[in-house]
Structures are given as structure tokens and as C-alpha cells.
């Protein structure tokens, strides 16, 4: 999964457009992009969308309202009959929240005759200040967890920051810290690290630079808020021919030389961490369909 496109759950036109956007996943939103008065309508439309899905379409993830919002039970009751691939949990404050959501989901899986544990969870893990201090409780919390992402908008509001980016468009220190900690937590939990949205959705140059920086740091995917962002994200997060060739070379060397610890290849010292990196690149290339 490289690209995850947010769509307000009450907007049928955007949902139709999203299905043809080329995104690997759509995040059908019931939270902040849907007005309180339209939540019920959104739940019904999201359920219909789930029930009507066809093979070959993007994966469908539903962002529910936060555990402490008072809306989450109605959200899950509304959408679980459609068997979403994953539930995105906003304002997640640690491993206990993920387990709490897992329990709520498990009940609905049973009620709807869905396989126990089949619904995955993607958590937005840096939206409140306390969440940052609890990132260490996420690894091992739930087998359902498949990805972790971070958020800078709610966090800015929560700490009273006047801005989250500087005059050059780069995140300021508190938000860079949140981003890095989310990346470490995802790696520690062995789940996909997913970069947050770029809200400046007409600026493709800035998006490309942000995708590249994210990939270089270890993120494997990025969320989008506009369909025009999807092709850029997919391109940057798909390993290119040079990366695949490098990974295949390293992989082949260690398969053919199982007793070698360290070796020089193309003037670079190569040992176990590089082999792990090569395996990651090959897995991502296969998932993106560019390697058989
Ligand atoms: N998914 C699918 N289609 C989308 C879309 C999205 N996220 N955002 C825009 N589109 C569609 C529009 O409906 C429009 O379709 P049309 O050409 O058939 O009329 C087309 O893409 C061009 O849209 P554009 O005019 O460039 O954008 P906009 O001003 O209508 O919308 C936003 C801007 C930000 C309101 C919109 O992109 C959006 O709703 N994004 C998602 C917001 C969200 O879910 N936020 C929560 C997480 S942060
Ligand atoms: Mg939010």
C-alpha cells in the first residue's frame, strides 16, 4: 500500500471519483470532514459503498470517530455489515486504545458473521500530546494493527501552536518530533509507517519533495486528500528500476553465499542491515506489481 486517499464519507461524487483514482486504498471518513448533522447519512453511504465494491478496486478503510467522541459505536454498527478491510482510529492514545477498538470490532465481526480478527486497524498515533508519550505501548498491542500514521493538524490545535510549518513549508520542531516518533513506533510494531497528508493540495512540487523525504526516512506510504496527489505518491513509493536492481543483486549475493557476513559490492560495505533493506525493497516492488 503506497497511497491512501481520504474521502468525506457523505460525498457520493468524491467516492465515485476515488474508486477510479488509482489509489491503493480509500479512507472513507466519518470523522472531521463530515459535519455532525451528516454523520448518519455518511454511515449509510459508506456501508453501501462497501457492499457494492468490486474486485480490483482500492482497499476500503473507514475512519471512525475517536473512542472518546461518543460516535464510535454508531459508526461501527453502521459500517461493519459492509466488512471494511480496515478501521482507521483517529486520536489514538496508545496500545490500550487499539485493544479497545479491537474489542469493539470483534463484537461486530461476530454479529455480522465475519472472520474473527479479519478487520485490520490503522492508527493515527500523534494527534494529542499524551499520545506521543504512549507510542511505546503500541508494539505488541494487537495483531489487527497493520499501519501507523501521524497527524500535525489536531496536534497543533492541542498544543496551541500558531503554525506547524515554517516559511519554507517544512514542519517545525514539535511536529518533526511527532513524525519521527511515529516512524520509530511503526518500525518497533512491525507495521507500515504511513506519512501524513499534505494539505497544500495544489502544490505538486512540494508534495513530491515531501514524499521523497518520507521514503528516504523509511515511510512506505502517504495519505492524500485530493486525487491529483495519488499519482505522485504512487510513483515515489514504488521502487524504481535502479533500486530493484540493487536489491536483487544484494539478495542474490547472500543467497549464493550464505556463510558470508560482510562483503564489498560496488565499492560499498554490505552486511545484514543491507540485506534487510533489500528484502524490504523487493517486497514493496512486488506489492506495487512492478516485480513478479
Ligand atoms: N476524493 C475524491 N475526489 C475528490 C477529492 C477526494 N478527496 N477531492 C476532490 N475530488 C474531486 C472533486 O469532487 C472534483 O470532481 P469533479 O471534477 O468531478 O467536479 C475534482 O476532484 C477536483 O476537485 P477540486 O475542485 O480540485 O477540489 P475541491 O475544491 O472540490 O475540494 C477539498 C477540495 C480539500 C475539499 C477536497 O479535496 C476534499 O474533500 N478532500 C478530502 C478531505 C478529507 O477527507 N479530509 C479528512 C482528512 S485530513
Ligand atoms: Mg483530524
Amino acid at each position: 500500500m503506497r497511497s491512501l486517499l481520504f474521502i468525506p464519507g457523505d460525498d457520493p461524487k468524491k467516492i465515485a471519483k476515488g474508486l477510479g483514482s488509482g489509489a491503493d486504498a480509500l479512507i472513507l471518513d466519518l470523522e472531521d470532514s463530515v459535519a455532525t448533522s451528516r454523520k448518519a447519512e455518511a454511515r449509510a453511504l459508506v456501508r453501501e459503498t462497501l457492499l457494492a465494491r468490486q474486485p480490483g478496486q482500492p482497499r476500503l478503510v473507514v475512519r471512525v470517530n475517536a473512542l472518546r467522541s461518543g460516535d464510535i459505536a454508531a459508526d461501527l454498527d453502521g459500517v461493519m455489515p459492509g466488512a471494511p478491510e480496515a478501521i482507521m482510529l483517529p486520536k489514538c492514545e496508545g496500545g490500550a486504545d487499539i485493544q479497545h477498538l479491537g474489542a469493539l470490532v470483534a463484537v461486530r465481526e461476530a454479529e455480522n458473521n465475519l472472520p474473527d480478527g479479519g478487520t485490520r486497524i490503522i492508527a493515527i498515533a500523534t494527534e494529542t500530546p499524551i499520545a506521543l508519550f504512549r507510542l511505546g505501548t503500541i508494539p505488541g498491542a494487537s495483531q489487527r494493527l497493520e499501519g501507523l500514521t501521524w497527524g500535525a493538524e489536531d496536534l497543533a490545535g492541542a498544543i496551541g501552536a500558531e503554525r506547524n510549518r515554517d516559511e519554507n513549508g517544512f514542519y517545525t520542531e514539535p511536529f518533526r518530533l511527532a513524525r519521527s516518533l511515529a516512524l520509530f513506533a511503526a518500525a518497533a510494531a512491525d507495521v507500515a509507517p504511513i506519512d501524513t497528508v499534505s494539505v497544500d493540495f495544489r502544490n505538486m512540487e512540494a508534495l513530491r519533495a515531501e514524499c521523497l523525504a518520507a521514503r528516504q526516512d523509511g515511510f512506505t506510504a502517504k495519505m492524500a486528500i485530493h486525487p491529483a496527489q495519488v499519482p505522485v505518491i504512487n510513483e515515489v513509493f514504488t521502487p524504481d528500476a535502479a533500486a530493484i536492481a540493487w536489491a536483487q543483486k544484494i539478495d542474490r549475493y547472500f543467497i549464493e553465499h550464505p556463510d558470508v557476513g560482510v562483503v564489498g559490492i560496488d565499492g560499498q560495505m554490505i552486511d545484514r542491515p543491507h540485506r534487510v533493506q533489500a528484502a524490504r525493497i523487493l517486497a514493496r516492488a512486488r506489492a506495487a506489481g512492478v516485480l513478479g
Side-chain angles (χ1 to χ4, degrees):
M1 224 175 20
R2 302 156 299 178
S3 52
L4 301 90
L5 174 62
F6 264 114
I7 306 185
D10 62 340
D11 191 329
K13 211 176 116 214
K14 285 181 186 162
I15 291 176
K17 201 161 182 110
L19 287 169
S21 66
D24 293 332
L26 305 184
I27 306 168
L28 304 169
D29 190 24
L30 300 176
E31 201 215 9
D32 288 348
S33 71
V34 177
T36 307
S37 63
R38 294 183 57 83
K39 300 271 187 206
E41 196 171 328
R43 290 176 192 124
L45 180 60
V46 168
R47 180 173 59 240
E48 269 172 49
T49 305
L50 290 164
L51 290 170
R53 70 179 175 284
Q54 303 292 326
Q57 283 181 345
R59 296 182 72 209
L60 298 179
V61 177
V62 178
R63 182 167 74 168
V64 294
N65 287 278
L67 281 170
R68 285 160 279 275
S69 66
D71 285 322
I72 192 168
D75 291 343
L76 291 170
D77 286 340
V79 304
M80 283 301 291
E85 260 108 338
I87 300 293
M88 175 171 275
L89 180 65
K91 299 167 184 84
C92 170
E93 295 181 336
D97 278 4
I98 294 169
Q99 288 168 342
H100 187 165
L101 174 62
L104 296 176
V105 164
V107 173
R108 275 93 181 164
E109 285 174 343
E111 286 169 354
N112 291 286
N113 290 316
L114 297 172
D116 183 25
T119 315
R120 314 300 303 276
I121 294 175
I122 299 174
I124 314 183
T126 69
E127 289 193 301
T128 68
I130 194 69
L132 292 175
F133 297 97
R134 301 217 184 116
L135 281 165
T137 63
I138 291 181
S142 170
Q143 295 279 352
R144 293 180 186 272
L145 190 69
E146 73 158 293
L148 263 196
T149 185
W150 67 287
E153 309 305 322
D154 288 86
L155 187 60
I159 64 174
E162 291 175 11
R163 59 177 192 175
N164 54 24
R165 291 178 186 265
D166 65 18
E167 45 290 342
N168 297 315
F170 297 114
Y171 282 111
T172 53
E173 184 52 33
F175 304 94
R176 294 193 61 77
L177 176 71
R179 175 183 180 277
S180 296
L181 288 174
L183 177 64
F184 290 127
D190 196 20
V191 300
I194 303 168
D195 195 21
T196 194
V197 297
S198 298
V199 289
D200 185 10
F201 63 88
R202 306 258 183 245
N203 190 342
M204 292 301 143
E205 214 176 300
L207 174 68
R208 181 175 293 277
E210 208 162 281
C211 289
L212 202 57
R215 189 195 75 200
Q216 288 167 343
D217 284 346
F219 287 96
T220 56
K222 186 173 175 74
M223 300 189 292
I225 53 163
H226 192 284
Q229 296 180 317
V230 170
V232 176
I233 295 175
N234 283 351
E235 187 198 318
V236 176
F237 286 97
T238 303
D240 63 18
I244 293 172
W246 176 84
Q248 286 176 320
K249 191 176 202 174
I250 304 302
D251 196 50
R252 205 176 312 119
Y253 185 87
F254 282 101
I255 288 171
E256 288 167 3
H257 303 85
D259 290 333
V260 169
V262 63
V263 62
I265 298 179
D266 297 337
Q268 300 291 315
M269 184 201 79
I270 301 293
D271 59 5
R272 211 193 84 83
H274 304 96
R275 191 177 182 186
V276 172
Q277 173 69 353
R280 284 214 174 108
I281 290 171
L282 295 177
R284 280 174 37 228
R286 273 187 213 101
V290 294
L291 185 68

